[in-house]
């Protein structure tokens, strides 16, 4: 049944993608052509527009997921969604996975678009292919800038990408479901807004406290010009209260030297965010079991 | 078939329903009648598990409403399909989720309503959309059908064809609950009528008994009943 629900969600996304995809790639193609032809003002404008559209792709995919979640569960379409013979958990998971597929598609689009925009810059640049090769080399070797092993760097980037989606889904699903629940639904769309404000405040206050005062930190220190990561049972607040003036530094190494040779990143924040996601899962599922359609 | 016990649901700004007790038996066609805002849709949404009661309990057979969706075919007051959808796609969705969905019957019903399989919903009028949704609901073979205001906002000519659609495709032996405030159009269907007003059940009677004892049609009695409740004649 999960597959059928996902297929229902994906049909709805496909209808939207049919509109967004040609517009986006038309923008990118125009940027490529106009920039390559070195048309002074128009080329830069089209390139800038293409860049902006690429930056907005992932937030737009998340917004599409959010709107779809709301429409499928809490507008007229909810009368179909909630009377299908499936469990509330299946409905929740179908939205989670289908939204992730949309998020992944947006990422692929952004990568393709970014590459085309880079190529356009390369064609427009007098040293052309060298510029493209160097930029691609820099991108591929970004972990070295942070003195990290490439595999670790790329794995961290992938995990961050995954967490961005999971965290966004947890935030909007719990805000909408609590906001459209029995207590807050009388405020119509204000319900999810109020629920999100509550979620945001809890995140900021408890998240900051977890970051500063939980005695578990990821200590990033500099040993023989290499960044070394290890867990220590120290509160980051212990280090922060000893700091006086922090000056601008150009490299990570400089910054770490300035703060005494190591930097403690409060791992309590990561644990808190993971706990928030788990809590959101249970709260949202509870709300979906006790649906109240307007 | 359906047992409703001490059911209460209150809203913040308006009346919901108060202490409803009801048994719907197998094979009955029941008219849930009352003026707009009397609590019919609230009661139906509670039976469907789309609203949660403040007090009381509902059982469909042995199940809680949320566990009984494979036994119930429901036509809500609102249209619920995505506007981008065609009936062909809607049939595919129903076929994949409901084993009891009869596609052949649905296609026949669609042809009777003179609707196209490939026509997107966004190009249909309100009456056509109502017929399209009714096609989906009546093409399932289930023990319990709920139709919430199937004729509201529909012109008289279309009402007749919708009524025919219900009669022709209704599965004898099933329970059919129809909520409406347009009594005269559908009263010939009913075995039993329930009058609701201000969130409570005011009358629950067999239609034959009502007609013989009161000497009036259901519509006539409905007008008299609600006219006397409001201290004026009830006007649609």
């Amino acid at each position: 049944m999960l597959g059928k629900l996902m297929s229902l969600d994906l049909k709805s996304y496909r209808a939207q993608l049919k509109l967004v995809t040609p517009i986006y790639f038309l923008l990118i193609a125009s940027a490529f052509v106009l920039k390559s032809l070195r048309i002074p003002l128009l080329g830069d404008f089209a390139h800038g527009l293409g860049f902006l559209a690429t930056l907005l792709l992932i937030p737009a995919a998340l917004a599409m997921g959010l709107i779809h979640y709301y429409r499928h569960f809490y507008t007229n379409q909810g009368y179909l969604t909630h009377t299908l013979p499936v469990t509330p958990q299946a409905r929740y998971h179908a939205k989670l996975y289908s939204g992730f597929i949309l998020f992944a598609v947006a990422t692929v689009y952004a990568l393709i678009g970014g590459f085309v925009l880079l190529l356009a810059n390369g064609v427009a640049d007098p040293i052309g292919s060298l510029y493209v090769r160097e930029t691609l080399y820099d991108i591929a070797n970004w972990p070295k800038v942070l003195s990290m092993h490439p595999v670790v760097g790329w794995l961290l980037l992938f995990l961050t990408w995954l967490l961005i989606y999971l965290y966004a889904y947890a935030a909007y699903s719990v805000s909408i479901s609590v906001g459209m629940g029995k207590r807050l639904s009388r405020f119509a769309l204000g319900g999810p807004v109020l629920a999100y404000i509550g979620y945001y405040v809890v995140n900021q206050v408890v998240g900051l406290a977890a970051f500063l005062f939980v005695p578990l930190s990821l200590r990033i220190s500099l040993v023989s010009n290499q960044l070394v990561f290890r867990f220590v049972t120290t509160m980051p607040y212990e280090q922060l209260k000893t700091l006086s003036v922090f000056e601008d530094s150009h490299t990570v190494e400089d910054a770490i030297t300035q703060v005494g040779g190591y930097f403690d990143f409060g791992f309590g924040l990561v644990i808190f965010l993971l706990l928030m996601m788990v809590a959101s899962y249970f709260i949202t599922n509870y709300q979906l079991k006790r649906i109240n359609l307007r | 078939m359906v047992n409703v016990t001490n059911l209460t649901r209150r809203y913040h700004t308006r009346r919901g329903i108060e202490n409803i007790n009801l048994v719907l038996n197998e094979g009955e066609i029941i008219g849930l009648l009352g003026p707009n805002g009397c609590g019919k849709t609230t009661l139906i949404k509670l039976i469907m598990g789309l609203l949660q009661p403040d007090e009381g309990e509902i059982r469909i057979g042995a199940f809680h409403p949320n566990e009984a969706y494979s036994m119930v075919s429901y036509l809500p007051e609102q249209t619920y399909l995505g506007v981008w959808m065609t009936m062909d796609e809607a049939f595919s969705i129903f076929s994949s989720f409901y084993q009891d969905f009869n596609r052949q019957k649905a296609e026949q019903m669609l042809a009777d309503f003179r609707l196209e399989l490939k026509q997107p919903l966004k190009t249909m009028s309100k009456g056509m959309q109502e017929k399209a949704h009714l096609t989906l609901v009546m093409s399932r073979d289930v023990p319990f059908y709920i139709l919430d205001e199937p004729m509201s906002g529909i012109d008289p000519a279309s009402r007749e064809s919708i009524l025919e659609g219900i009669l022709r495709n209704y599965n004898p032996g099933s329970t059919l609950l129809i909520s409406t405030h347009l009594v005269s159009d559908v009263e010939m269907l009913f075995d039993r009528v329930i009058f609701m007003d201000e969130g409570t059940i005011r009358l629950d009677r067999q239609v034959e008994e009502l007609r013989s004892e009161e000497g009036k049609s259901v519509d006539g009695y409905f007008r008299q009943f609600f006219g006397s409740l409001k201290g004026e004649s009830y006007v649609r």
Side-chain angles (χ1 to χ4, degrees), chain A:
Chain A
M1 280 295 179
L2 185 64
K4 289 174 186 172
L5 281 171
M6 281 177 66
S7 148
L8 188 60
D9 289 331
L10 291 172
K11 271 180 191 165
S12 176
Y13 286 140
R14 194 178 60 193
Q16 290 166 300
L17 280 176
K18 269 185 188 170
L19 182 75
V20 174
T21 307
I23 294 174
Y24 175 68
F25 283 107
L26 194 69
L27 268 176
I28 293 298
S30 321
F32 181 79
V33 172
L34 295 170
K35 185 80 177 172
S36 307
L37 292 174
R38 297 178 198 174
I39 302 172
L41 207 62
L42 206 57
D44 287 340
F45 177 74
H47 196 267
L49 206 62
F51 183 69
L52 190 68
T54 305
L55 280 183
L56 288 176
L57 267 180
I58 288 177
L62 292 174
M64 272 167 76
L66 180 153
I67 292 165
H68 179 71
Y69 185 93
Y70 174 76
R71 283 173 63 184
H72 251 214
F73 281 163
Y74 296 103
T75 64
N76 286 0
Q77 291 181 34
Y79 286 86
L80 174 65
T81 315
H82 292 294
T83 53
L84 292 171
V86 293
T87 61
Q89 285 95 332
R91 287 181 200 122
Y92 177 88
H93 285 124
K95 293 273 176 295
L96 173 68
Y97 303 140
S98 58
F100 180 69
I101 291 172
L102 181 71
F103 182 72
V105 168
T107 308
V108 171
Y109 280 14
L111 289 174
I112 295 170
F115 182 67
V116 173
L117 291 176
L118 176 67
L119 277 183
N121 261 344
V123 174
D125 199 285
I127 48 169
S129 63
L130 182 66
Y131 169 82
V132 174
R133 262 186 285 139
E134 276 182 354
T135 310
L136 287 176
Y137 180 83
D138 287 345
I139 291 171
N141 291 290
W142 73 267
K144 282 187 183 169
V145 180
L146 293 175
S147 312
M148 277 166 123
H149 191 281
V151 176
V152 175
W154 282 103
L155 194 65
L156 273 176
L157 190 69
F158 174 75
L159 283 176
T160 308
W161 175 75
L162 204 60
L163 280 174
I164 286 171
Y165 174 71
L166 291 175
Y167 187 74
Y169 182 78
Y172 72 65
S173 60
V174 76
S175 302
I176 293 173
S177 288
V178 170
M180 295 307 289
K182 201 171 172 183
R183 286 173 197 279
L184 295 177
S185 63
R186 65 189 146 135
F187 299 114
L189 272 177
V193 173
L194 284 174
Y196 180 72
I197 291 171
Y199 184 86
Y200 180 79
V201 169
V202 169
N203 253 288
Q204 293 300 308
V205 175
V206 186
L208 181 66
F211 180 79
L212 290 176
F213 303 116
V214 171
L216 180 66
S217 304
L218 184 65
R219 179 161 290 176
I220 307 163
S221 43
L222 201 59
V223 180
S224 315
N225 258 356
Q226 278 282 319
L227 289 180
V228 175
F229 300 85
R230 71 189 169 98
F231 284 105
V232 291
T233 52
T234 317
M235 285 192 275
Y237 179 70
E238 294 297 333
Q239 184 187 23
L240 282 177
K241 70 182 179 188
T242 62
L243 290 182
S244 49
V245 182
F246 188 76
E247 289 169 13
D248 280 352
S249 43
H250 297 292
T251 63
V252 178
E253 287 85 353
D254 281 351
I256 289 176
T257 311
Q258 264 195 51
V259 294
Y262 70 89
F263 172 72
D264 282 348
F265 176 82
F267 208 72
L269 177 66
V270 178
I271 295 170
F272 167 72
L273 291 179
L274 291 174
L275 285 176
M276 277 296 277
M277 282 194 263
V278 174
S280 300
Y281 173 84
F282 286 109
I283 294 169
T284 309
N285 273 289
Y286 175 78
Q287 291 291 338
L288 289 177
K289 273 185 207 155
R290 300 181 53 78
I291 200 82
N292 281 280
L293 286 188
R294 285 164 64 80

Side-chain angles (χ1 to χ4, degrees), chain B residues 116-144:
Chain B
E116 298 289 330
L117 202 58
K118 299 282 181 192
Q119 187 179 1
L121 258 90
K122 61 185 168 197
T123 65
M124 292 182 186
S125 67
K126 181 168 168 45
M128 289 160 94
Q129 287 195 18
E130 195 70 46
K131 288 172 185 170
H133 282 77
L134 189 71
T135 301
L136 292 166
V137 170
M138 297 309 292
S139 298
R140 287 185 60 203
D141 185 9
V142 287
F144 187 26

